[in-house]
Amino acid sequence: MSNTTAVTDDAPLTRPADVSFWEAFRLWLKLGFMGFGGPAAQIALMHRELVEQRRWISERRFLHALNYCMLLPGPEAQQLATYMGWLMHRTWGGIVAGVLFVLPGLCFLIGLSWLYIAYGDVPLVAGLFYGIKPAVTAVVVYAVHRIGSRALKNNVLWAIAAAAFVAIFAFNVPFPAIVAAAIVIGYIGGRVAPDKFEAGGGHGSAKQSYGPAIIDDDTPTPAHALFRWSKLARVLIIGAILWSVPMALLNMVYGWDHTFTQMGWFFTKAALLTFGGAYAVLPYIYQGAITNHGWLTPTQMIDGLALGEANPGPLIMVVAFVGFVGAYVKALFGPDMLFAAGAFAAVLVSWFTFLPSFIFILAGGPFVETTHGNLKFTAPLTAITAAVVGVILNLAVFFAYHVLWPKGFAGSFDWIAALLVVLAAVALVRYKRNVMQVIAASALIGLLLKTVVNV
C-alpha cells in the first residue's frame, strides 16, 4: 500500500475467504432491491457492502473501477456492479451482477406504470402526483446545482454551459448535436488551453484501508481480466449480434416506422449519449419521446421521472416508463392486451438501453485492469459535462413551466405548487434530505391538499 493509505485501528488483519458465485448472486439481488436514491447512494451502498463490510475488493481497486465507469456513457452504478461481478466471477459474474442490479427496479416500474396509466385519474393517485411533481422539479434544479458546482470550474466551462442552454432552449438544437459540439470544443480547447479543461471533482484516490481484501491493491490481475485482442473482438461481435438480431426482427415483423422498432433505435442512441448521468439524457428523451414521437405528454414525463426517483435501480430506468406508456396508449397489441403491450415495450427499451453498458464493461474492463493507470476525464468529456449542466437547466425550466402553469401561460399560476417547489428545494439543499424522503413527504402533502383541503 502507498504511504497515503491509513489503516483503521479496528481493521481485520486476515484476508476473507474466497466468495462463491452464488454468494455473490445473493448480494447482487439484495443490492437490486435496495438501490434507492440515485447513483451516489447506490455507489455508496456498494462501497459499504463490497469494501467496508465484506472486503471483497480494496478501496483503491474499487475507485479505479469507478473512475472508468464515470468516463462511460450509461448508468455508472449499474456499470460498476457489472465490473465488480466480472472481476470476481468472469463474464457470467458481470452479466448476473448487472442484470440483478436493474431487474427488481424494472419489475416494480412496470407495475407502477400500469397503476399510473390505468388509475391515474383516481383522486387518491391524482393527489399523490400533485405533490410529487413540484418535488421532482426541485430535484432537477438541485441536480443542476450539484453537477454545476463540480463541473463549472472556470469561465470557459460556464460559457459552454450557457451556450448549451441557449441552444436547446431558444433554438431547440437536438441534444446529440450539442454533445458533438462539446466534443469538438473540448478537443480543440484541451490543446489550446489545457488548464481550462482539466477534470474537476472526481473520486480521488484511496485514503483508507479496511483490512486485507480478496482482491487487494497488490492482488495480481486475474487471468480472465487480462487484455487480449481476441477477447475484445469476441465481446464486440457478440454485442453486435445481441443488438442487431432483435433490431432486425423488429424491422422484419413490424417495419422500420413502427413504434416498437423506433423505440429500439431511439433508446440505443439514448444509451450512447448519457454522459453525465441520467439527468443529462432526460432532455434528449423528452425531446424525442414527446416532441418527435408523441409517445407521452409532458405531464406524463414528469410523473414518470417521479416514479423513477421512487424506484430501486438506476434513474435511467425511467425509459421503461416511457416505453410502457407509449405502447399502452397506442394499444400496440390491440385494446384487449394493453398491459402486455406496455410490458413488452418496457422490456424492449430496457434491453436496448442497458446492452451497451455490458459491452463497455466486458470490452474495456480488461484494458483497465491490465494498465492499472489513474484514469481521468479527458478534455472533450470535461466539455460534455459542462454542456450537460446547461441542458439539465433547460429540463428544469421545462418541468417548472408545466408544474407552475399547468394550463399554459394563458392559465393561472399555481402558487401552491410553487410553494411546494421551494419547500422541497430547501429540504434538499439546506437540510440535506435525500430524494426519497422529499418525494414521499411531498406526495403526502399533495394527497392531503387534494383529498382533505380540496384545493
Side-chain angles (χ1 to χ4, degrees):
M1 294 185 183
S2 69
N3 56 11
T4 60
T5 302
V7 180
T8 55
D9 294 335
D10 56 349
L13 299 178
T14 58
R15 177 181 175 274
D18 289 339
V19 179
S20 70
F21 178 88
W22 292 108
E23 185 179 353
F25 182 99
R26 289 191 293 272
L27 176 63
W28 300 124
L29 183 61
K30 170 187 172 182
L31 295 180
F33 282 98
M34 294 176 61
F36 293 93
Q42 292 158 359
I43 291 169
L45 176 63
M46 269 189 283
H47 183 275
R48 186 173 71 246
E49 292 283 347
L50 298 175
V51 178
E52 300 177 31
Q53 297 182 355
R54 301 172 188 266
R55 292 183 289 128
W56 289 0
I57 188 167
S58 70
E59 172 95 345
R60 192 180 304 276
R61 297 288 283 269
F62 181 90
L63 293 178
H64 181 70
L66 176 58
N67 284 338
Y68 172 60
C69 295
M70 292 294 293
L71 290 174
L72 299 173
E76 60 266 30
Q78 184 263 349
Q79 290 169 335
L80 181 61
T82 305
Y83 193 111
M84 296 290 100
W86 162 79
L87 187 59
M88 298 185 66
H89 294 108
R90 308 172 69 91
T91 299
W92 277 110
I95 293 173
V96 166
V99 169
L100 291 181
F101 195 81
V102 301
L103 186 60
L106 173 60
C107 295
F108 284 140
L109 197 54
I110 288 175
L112 291 173
S113 300
W114 174 71
L115 290 173
Y116 167 80
I117 198 66
Y119 301 101
D121 293 332
V122 175
L124 174 66
V125 178
L128 291 172
F129 277 95
Y130 179 77
I132 287 174
K133 291 172 188 175
V136 170
T137 302
V139 168
V140 178
V141 173
Y142 179 55
V144 175
H145 166 74
R146 189 175 68 248
I147 299 172
S149 63
R150 292 200 310 262
L152 307 182
K153 300 298 184 181
N154 55 64
N155 291 337
V156 172
L157 299 180
W158 272 97
I160 293 174
F165 173 77
V166 172
I168 195 169
F169 177 80
F171 300 103
N172 200 31
V173 175
F175 181 59
I178 294 175
V179 171
I183 291 173
V184 173
I185 293 171
Y187 180 82
I188 297 173
R191 284 151 179 75
V192 176
D195 58 310
K196 298 295 185 181
F197 290 86
E198 291 178 351
H203 293 272
S205 57
K207 299 295 183 183
Q208 184 175 349
S209 171
Y210 297 92
I214 296 175
I215 301 178
D216 218 328
D217 293 349
D218 55 357
T219 301
T221 301
H224 72 273
L226 295 174
F227 179 79
R228 292 188 180 92
W229 285 107
S230 58
K231 287 185 177 180
L232 175 62
R234 185 165 60 248
V235 170
L236 294 179
I237 291 172
I238 294 174
I241 292 172
L242 292 175
W243 180 86
S244 59
V245 170
M247 182 60 69
L249 289 174
L250 289 172
N251 194 29
M252 289 170 56
V253 174
Y254 296 106
W256 179 252
D257 294 327
H258 192 272
T259 299
F260 284 144
T261 311
Q262 285 299 303
M263 281 183 173
W265 176 238
F266 175 79
F267 286 105
T268 295
K269 294 184 291 182
L272 301 175
L273 291 169
T274 52
F275 293 99
Y279 285 109
V281 80
L282 286 175
Y284 176 65
I285 292 176
Y286 91 70
Q287 196 175 50
I290 297 172
T291 305
N292 298 338
H293 295 288
W295 294 331
L296 73 173
T297 67
T299 299
Q300 289 171 339
M301 184 68 192
I302 300 172
D303 294 340
L305 181 57
L307 291 178
E309 292 278 12
N311 199 60
L315 179 58
I316 193 61
M317 188 59 72
V318 72
V319 300
F321 173 86
V322 175
F324 187 99
V325 171
Y328 187 103
V329 171
K330 291 180 178 293
L332 296 181
F333 285 168
D336 297 327
M337 299 183 66
L338 298 178
F339 176 84
F344 176 80
V347 173
L348 177 74
V349 302
S350 298
W351 174 267
F352 285 106
T353 299
F354 287 100
L355 177 62
S357 292
F358 288 95
I359 297 173
F360 290 143
I361 297 302
L362 297 178
F367 177 78
V368 176
E369 284 298 312
T370 300
T371 59
H372 268 280
N374 293 321
L375 298 180
K376 297 180 180 180
F377 287 106
T378 63
L381 288 175
T382 301
I384 290 174
T385 305
V388 158
V389 176
V391 173
I392 300 174
L393 177 60
N394 175 70
L395 182 68
V397 173
F398 171 83
F399 279 8
Y401 168 74
H402 288 283
V403 169
L404 303 181
W405 286 275
K407 297 182 180 179
F409 286 130
S412 59
F413 180 78
D414 192 334
W415 290 99
I416 295 177
L419 178 61
L420 291 177
V421 171
V422 173
L423 292 175
V426 170
L428 289 166
V429 178
R430 174 67 177 84
Y431 295 101
K432 309 299 182 185
R433 314 312 299 182
N434 66 47
V435 170
M436 279 294 298
Q437 291 173 329
V438 172
I439 288 180
S442 298
L444 180 59
I445 293 173
L447 180 62
L448 293 175
L449 288 173
K450 284 294 185 182
T451 59
V452 178
V453 183
N454 196 26
V455 296

Coordinates of all heavy atoms in Angstrom, one line a residue, residues 66-123:
L66 N -14.4 2.5 -10.5 CA -15.4 3.6 -10.5 C -15.0 4.7 -11.5 O -15.8 5.2 -12.2 CB -15.6 4.1 -9.1 CG -16.6 5.3 -9.0 CD1 -18.0 5.0 -9.6 CD2 -16.7 5.8 -7.6
N67 N -13.7 5.1 -11.5 CA -13.3 6.2 -12.3 C -13.4 5.8 -13.8 O -13.8 6.6 -14.6 CB -11.8 6.5 -12.1 CG -11.6 7.3 -10.8 OD1 -12.5 7.9 -10.3 ND2 -10.4 7.2 -10.2
Y68 N -13.2 4.5 -14.1 CA -13.5 4.1 -15.5 C -15.0 4.2 -15.8 O -15.4 4.7 -16.9 CB -13.0 2.6 -15.7 CG -13.4 2.0 -17.0 CD1 -13.0 2.6 -18.2 CD2 -14.2 0.9 -17.1 CE1 -13.3 2.1 -19.4 CE2 -14.5 0.3 -18.3 CZ -14.1 0.9 -19.5 OH -14.5 0.4 -20.7
C69 N -15.8 3.7 -14.9 CA -17.3 3.8 -15.2 C -17.8 5.2 -15.3 O -18.7 5.5 -16.1 CB -18.0 3.1 -14.1 SG -17.7 1.3 -14.0
M70 N -17.1 6.1 -14.6 CA -17.5 7.5 -14.7 C -17.2 8.1 -16.1 O -17.8 9.1 -16.5 CB -16.8 8.4 -13.6 CG -17.3 8.0 -12.2 SD -19.0 8.5 -11.9 CE -18.9 10.3 -12.0
L71 N -16.3 7.5 -16.8 CA -15.9 8.0 -18.1 C -16.9 7.6 -19.2 O -17.0 8.2 -20.3 CB -14.5 7.5 -18.5 CG -13.3 8.1 -17.8 CD1 -12.1 7.4 -18.2 CD2 -13.2 9.6 -18.0
L72 N -17.7 6.6 -18.9 CA -18.6 6.0 -19.9 C -19.9 6.6 -20.0 O -20.4 7.1 -19.0 CB -18.7 4.5 -19.6 CG -17.5 3.6 -19.5 CD1 -17.8 2.2 -19.0 CD2 -16.8 3.5 -20.9
P73 N -20.6 6.6 -21.2 CA -22.0 6.9 -21.2 C -22.7 5.7 -20.5 O -22.3 4.6 -20.6 CB -22.3 6.9 -22.7 CG -21.2 6.1 -23.3 CD -20.0 6.2 -22.5
G74 N -23.9 6.0 -19.9 CA -24.6 5.0 -19.3 C -24.7 5.2 -17.8 O -24.0 6.0 -17.2
P75 N -25.5 4.3 -17.1 CA -25.6 4.4 -15.6 C -24.4 3.9 -14.9 O -24.1 2.7 -14.9 CB -26.8 3.5 -15.4 CG -26.9 2.5 -16.5 CD -26.3 3.3 -17.7
E76 N -23.6 4.8 -14.3 CA -22.3 4.4 -13.7 C -22.5 3.4 -12.6 O -21.6 2.5 -12.4 CB -21.5 5.6 -13.2 CG -22.2 6.4 -12.2 CD -23.0 7.6 -12.8 OE1 -23.5 7.5 -13.9 OE2 -23.1 8.6 -12.1
A77 N -23.5 3.4 -11.8 CA -23.7 2.5 -10.7 C -23.9 1.1 -11.2 O -23.4 0.1 -10.7 CB -24.9 2.9 -9.8
Q78 N -24.8 0.9 -12.2 CA -25.0 -0.4 -12.8 C -23.8 -0.9 -13.5 O -23.5 -2.1 -13.4 CB -26.2 -0.3 -13.8 CG -26.6 -1.6 -14.4 CD -26.0 -1.9 -15.8 OE1 -25.4 -1.0 -16.4 NE2 -26.1 -3.1 -16.2
Q79 N -23.0 0.0 -14.1 CA -21.8 -0.5 -14.8 C -20.8 -0.9 -13.7 O -20.0 -1.8 -14.0 CB -21.3 0.7 -15.6 CG -22.1 0.9 -16.9 CD -21.7 2.2 -17.6 OE1 -21.2 3.1 -17.0 NE2 -22.0 2.2 -18.9
L80 N -20.7 -0.2 -12.6 CA -19.8 -0.6 -11.5 C -20.1 -1.9 -11.0 O -19.2 -2.7 -10.7 CB -19.8 0.5 -10.4 CG -18.9 0.3 -9.3 CD1 -17.4 0.2 -9.7 CD2 -19.0 1.3 -8.2
A81 N -21.4 -2.2 -10.8 CA -21.8 -3.5 -10.3 C -21.4 -4.6 -11.3 O -20.9 -5.7 -11.0 CB -23.4 -3.6 -10.1
T82 N -21.6 -4.3 -12.6 CA -21.2 -5.2 -13.7 C -19.7 -5.5 -13.6 O -19.2 -6.6 -13.7 CB -21.6 -4.7 -15.1 OG1 -23.0 -4.4 -15.1 CG2 -21.3 -5.7 -16.2
Y83 N -18.9 -4.4 -13.4 CA -17.5 -4.5 -13.4 C -17.1 -5.4 -12.2 O -16.2 -6.3 -12.3 CB -16.9 -3.1 -13.3 CG -15.4 -3.0 -13.5 CD1 -14.9 -2.4 -14.6 CD2 -14.5 -3.5 -12.6 CE1 -13.5 -2.3 -14.8 CE2 -13.1 -3.4 -12.8 CZ -12.7 -2.8 -13.9 OH -11.3 -2.7 -14.1
M84 N -17.6 -5.1 -11.0 CA -17.3 -5.9 -9.8 C -17.6 -7.4 -10.0 O -16.8 -8.2 -9.7 CB -18.0 -5.3 -8.6 CG -17.7 -3.9 -8.2 SD -16.0 -3.7 -7.5 CE -15.1 -3.1 -9.0
G85 N -18.8 -7.7 -10.5 CA -19.2 -9.0 -10.8 C -18.3 -9.7 -11.8 O -17.9 -10.9 -11.6
W86 N -17.9 -9.0 -12.8 CA -17.0 -9.6 -13.9 C -15.6 -9.8 -13.3 O -15.0 -10.9 -13.5 CB -16.9 -8.6 -15.0 CG -15.7 -8.8 -15.9 CD1 -15.6 -9.8 -16.9 CD2 -14.5 -8.1 -15.9 NE1 -14.3 -9.7 -17.5 CE2 -13.7 -8.7 -16.9 CE3 -14.0 -7.0 -15.2 CZ2 -12.4 -8.2 -17.2 CZ3 -12.8 -6.5 -15.4 CH2 -11.9 -7.1 -16.4
L87 N -15.1 -8.9 -12.5 CA -13.7 -9.0 -11.9 C -13.7 -10.2 -11.0 O -12.6 -10.9 -11.0 CB -13.4 -7.8 -11.2 CG -11.9 -7.7 -10.7 CD1 -10.9 -7.8 -11.8 CD2 -11.7 -6.3 -9.9
M88 N -14.7 -10.5 -10.3 CA -14.7 -11.6 -9.3 C -15.1 -13.0 -9.9 O -14.5 -14.0 -9.6 CB -15.7 -11.3 -8.2 CG -15.3 -10.1 -7.4 SD -16.3 -9.8 -5.9 CE -15.9 -11.2 -5.0
H89 N -16.0 -13.0 -10.9 CA -16.5 -14.2 -11.4 C -16.7 -14.3 -12.9 O -17.7 -14.8 -13.4 CB -17.9 -14.6 -10.7 CG -17.8 -14.8 -9.3 ND1 -18.2 -14.0 -8.3 CD2 -17.2 -15.9 -8.6 CE1 -18.0 -14.4 -7.1 NE2 -17.4 -15.6 -7.2
R90 N -15.8 -13.6 -13.6 CA -15.7 -13.7 -15.0 C -17.0 -13.1 -15.7 O -17.7 -12.3 -15.1 CB -15.5 -15.1 -15.5 CG -14.3 -15.8 -14.8 CD -14.2 -17.3 -15.1 NE -13.8 -17.5 -16.5 CZ -12.5 -17.6 -16.9 NH1 -11.5 -17.5 -16.0 NH2 -12.3 -17.8 -18.2
T91 N -17.2 -13.5 -17.0 CA -18.2 -12.8 -17.8 C -19.6 -13.0 -17.2 O -20.4 -12.1 -17.0 CB -18.2 -13.4 -19.2 OG1 -16.9 -13.1 -19.8 CG2 -19.3 -12.7 -20.0
W92 N -19.9 -14.3 -16.8 CA -21.3 -14.5 -16.2 C -21.5 -13.8 -14.9 O -22.6 -13.4 -14.6 CB -21.5 -16.0 -16.1 CG -21.9 -16.6 -17.4 CD1 -21.3 -17.5 -18.2 CD2 -23.2 -16.4 -18.0 NE1 -22.0 -17.8 -19.3 CE2 -23.2 -17.2 -19.2 CE3 -24.3 -15.6 -17.8 CZ2 -24.3 -17.2 -20.1 CZ3 -25.4 -15.7 -18.7 CH2 -25.4 -16.4 -19.8
G93 N -20.4 -13.6 -14.1 CA -20.5 -12.9 -12.9 C -20.9 -11.4 -13.2 O -21.7 -10.8 -12.5
G94 N -20.3 -10.8 -14.2 CA -20.6 -9.5 -14.6 C -22.0 -9.4 -15.1 O -22.8 -8.4 -14.8
I95 N -22.5 -10.3 -16.0 CA -23.8 -10.3 -16.5 C -24.8 -10.4 -15.4 O -25.8 -9.6 -15.4 CB -24.0 -11.4 -17.6 CG1 -23.1 -11.1 -18.8 CG2 -25.5 -11.5 -18.0 CD1 -23.1 -12.2 -19.8
V96 N -24.6 -11.3 -14.5 CA -25.6 -11.5 -13.4 C -25.6 -10.3 -12.5 O -26.7 -9.8 -12.1 CB -25.2 -12.8 -12.6 CG1 -25.9 -12.8 -11.3 CG2 -25.5 -14.0 -13.4
A97 N -24.5 -9.7 -12.2 CA -24.5 -8.5 -11.3 C -25.2 -7.4 -11.9 O -26.0 -6.7 -11.3 CB -23.0 -8.2 -11.0
G98 N -24.9 -7.2 -13.2 CA -25.6 -6.0 -13.9 C -27.1 -6.2 -14.1 O -27.8 -5.3 -13.9
V99 N -27.5 -7.5 -14.4 CA -28.9 -7.7 -14.6 C -29.7 -7.6 -13.3 O -30.7 -7.0 -13.2 CB -29.1 -9.1 -15.2 CG1 -30.6 -9.5 -15.2 CG2 -28.6 -9.1 -16.7
L100 N -29.1 -8.2 -12.2 CA -29.8 -8.2 -10.9 C -29.9 -6.8 -10.4 O -30.8 -6.5 -9.6 CB -29.2 -9.1 -10.0 CG -29.3 -10.6 -10.3 CD1 -28.6 -11.5 -9.2 CD2 -30.8 -11.0 -10.4
F101 N -28.9 -5.9 -10.8 CA -28.9 -4.6 -10.3 C -30.1 -3.8 -10.8 O -30.6 -2.8 -10.2 CB -27.6 -3.9 -10.7 CG -27.4 -2.6 -9.9 CD1 -26.8 -2.6 -8.6 CD2 -27.7 -1.4 -10.5 CE1 -26.6 -1.4 -7.9 CE2 -27.4 -0.2 -9.8 CZ -26.9 -0.2 -8.5
V102 N -30.6 -4.2 -12.0 CA -31.8 -3.4 -12.6 C -33.1 -4.2 -12.6 O -34.1 -3.6 -12.8 CB -31.4 -3.0 -14.0 CG1 -30.2 -2.1 -14.0 CG2 -31.2 -4.2 -15.0
L103 N -33.0 -5.5 -12.5 CA -34.2 -6.4 -12.7 C -35.3 -6.0 -11.7 O -36.5 -5.9 -12.1 CB -33.9 -7.8 -12.7 CG -35.0 -8.8 -13.0 CD1 -35.5 -8.6 -14.4 CD2 -34.5 -10.3 -12.9
P104 N -35.1 -5.9 -10.4 CA -36.1 -5.6 -9.5 C -36.8 -4.3 -9.8 O -38.0 -4.1 -9.8 CB -35.5 -5.6 -8.1 CG -34.3 -6.5 -8.2 CD -33.8 -6.2 -9.6
G105 N -36.0 -3.3 -10.1 CA -36.5 -1.9 -10.5 C -37.4 -2.0 -11.7 O -38.4 -1.3 -11.8
L106 N -37.0 -2.8 -12.7 CA -37.8 -2.9 -13.9 C -39.1 -3.5 -13.6 O -40.2 -3.0 -14.1 CB -37.0 -3.8 -14.9 CG -37.8 -4.1 -16.2 CD1 -38.2 -2.9 -17.0 CD2 -36.9 -5.1 -17.1
C107 N -39.1 -4.6 -12.8 CA -40.4 -5.2 -12.5 C -41.3 -4.3 -11.7 O -42.5 -4.2 -12.0 CB -40.1 -6.5 -11.6 SG -39.3 -7.8 -12.6
F108 N -40.7 -3.6 -10.7 CA -41.5 -2.6 -9.9 C -42.1 -1.5 -10.9 O -43.2 -1.1 -10.7 CB -40.7 -2.0 -8.8 CG -40.4 -2.9 -7.7 CD1 -39.2 -2.9 -7.0 CD2 -41.4 -3.7 -7.1 CE1 -39.0 -3.7 -6.0 CE2 -41.2 -4.5 -6.1 CZ -40.0 -4.5 -5.5
L109 N -41.2 -1.0 -11.8 CA -41.7 0.1 -12.6 C -42.7 -0.3 -13.6 O -43.6 0.5 -13.9 CB -40.4 0.7 -13.3 CG -40.6 2.1 -13.9 CD1 -41.1 3.1 -12.8 CD2 -39.3 2.6 -14.5
I110 N -42.7 -1.5 -14.1 CA -43.8 -2.0 -14.9 C -45.1 -2.0 -14.2 O -46.1 -1.5 -14.7 CB -43.4 -3.4 -15.5 CG1 -42.3 -3.3 -16.5 CG2 -44.7 -4.0 -16.1 CD1 -41.9 -4.7 -17.0
G111 N -45.1 -2.5 -13.0 CA -46.3 -2.4 -12.1 C -46.7 -1.0 -11.8 O -47.9 -0.7 -11.9
L112 N -45.8 -0.2 -11.5 CA -46.2 1.2 -11.1 C -46.7 2.0 -12.4 O -47.6 2.8 -12.3 CB -45.0 2.0 -10.5 CG -44.5 1.5 -9.2 CD1 -43.2 2.2 -8.8 CD2 -45.6 1.8 -8.1
S113 N -46.1 1.7 -13.5 CA -46.5 2.3 -14.8 C -48.0 1.9 -15.1 O -48.8 2.8 -15.5 CB -45.6 2.0 -15.9 OG -44.3 2.4 -15.6
W114 N -48.3 0.7 -14.9 CA -49.6 0.2 -15.2 C -50.6 0.8 -14.2 O -51.7 1.3 -14.7 CB -49.7 -1.3 -15.0 CG -51.1 -1.9 -15.2 CD1 -51.8 -1.9 -16.3 CD2 -51.9 -2.4 -14.1 NE1 -53.1 -2.4 -16.0 CE2 -53.2 -2.7 -14.7 CE3 -51.7 -2.6 -12.7 CZ2 -54.2 -3.3 -13.9 CZ3 -52.7 -3.1 -12.0 CH2 -54.0 -3.5 -12.6
L115 N -50.3 0.9 -12.9 CA -51.2 1.6 -12.0 C -51.4 3.0 -12.3 O -52.5 3.6 -12.3 CB -50.6 1.4 -10.6 CG -50.7 0.0 -9.9 CD1 -49.9 0.1 -8.6 CD2 -52.1 -0.4 -9.7
Y116 N -50.3 3.7 -12.8 CA -50.4 5.1 -13.1 C -51.3 5.3 -14.3 O -52.2 6.2 -14.3 CB -49.0 5.6 -13.4 CG -49.0 7.0 -14.0 CD1 -49.2 8.1 -13.2 CD2 -48.8 7.1 -15.4 CE1 -49.2 9.4 -13.8 CE2 -48.8 8.4 -16.0 CZ -49.0 9.5 -15.2 OH -49.1 10.7 -15.8
I117 N -51.0 4.6 -15.4 CA -51.8 4.9 -16.7 C -53.2 4.4 -16.6 O -54.1 4.9 -17.2 CB -51.0 4.3 -17.9 CG1 -51.5 4.9 -19.2 CG2 -51.2 2.8 -17.9 CD1 -51.1 6.4 -19.3
A118 N -53.4 3.3 -15.8 CA -54.8 2.7 -15.7 C -55.7 3.4 -14.7 O -56.9 3.5 -14.9 CB -54.7 1.2 -15.4
Y119 N -55.0 3.9 -13.6 CA -55.8 4.5 -12.5 C -55.3 5.9 -12.1 O -55.6 6.4 -11.0 CB -55.7 3.6 -11.3 CG -56.2 2.2 -11.5 CD1 -55.4 1.2 -11.7 CD2 -57.6 2.0 -11.6 CE1 -55.8 -0.1 -12.0 CE2 -58.1 0.7 -11.8 CZ -57.2 -0.4 -12.0 OH -57.7 -1.6 -12.3
G120 N -54.6 6.6 -13.0 CA -54.1 7.9 -12.7 C -55.1 9.0 -12.4 O -54.8 10.0 -11.8
D121 N -56.3 8.8 -12.9 CA -57.4 9.8 -12.7 C -58.1 9.6 -11.4 O -59.0 10.4 -11.0 CB -58.4 9.7 -13.9 CG -57.8 10.2 -15.2 OD1 -56.8 11.0 -15.1 OD2 -58.2 9.7 -16.2
V122 N -57.8 8.5 -10.7 CA -58.4 8.3 -9.4 C -58.0 9.4 -8.4 O -56.8 9.7 -8.4 CB -58.1 6.9 -8.8 CG1 -58.6 6.7 -7.4 CG2 -58.6 5.8 -9.8
P123 N -58.9 10.0 -7.6 CA -58.5 11.2 -6.8 C -57.3 10.8 -5.9 O -56.4 11.7 -5.7 CB -59.7 11.4 -6.0 CG -60.8 11.0 -6.9 CD -60.3 9.8 -7.6

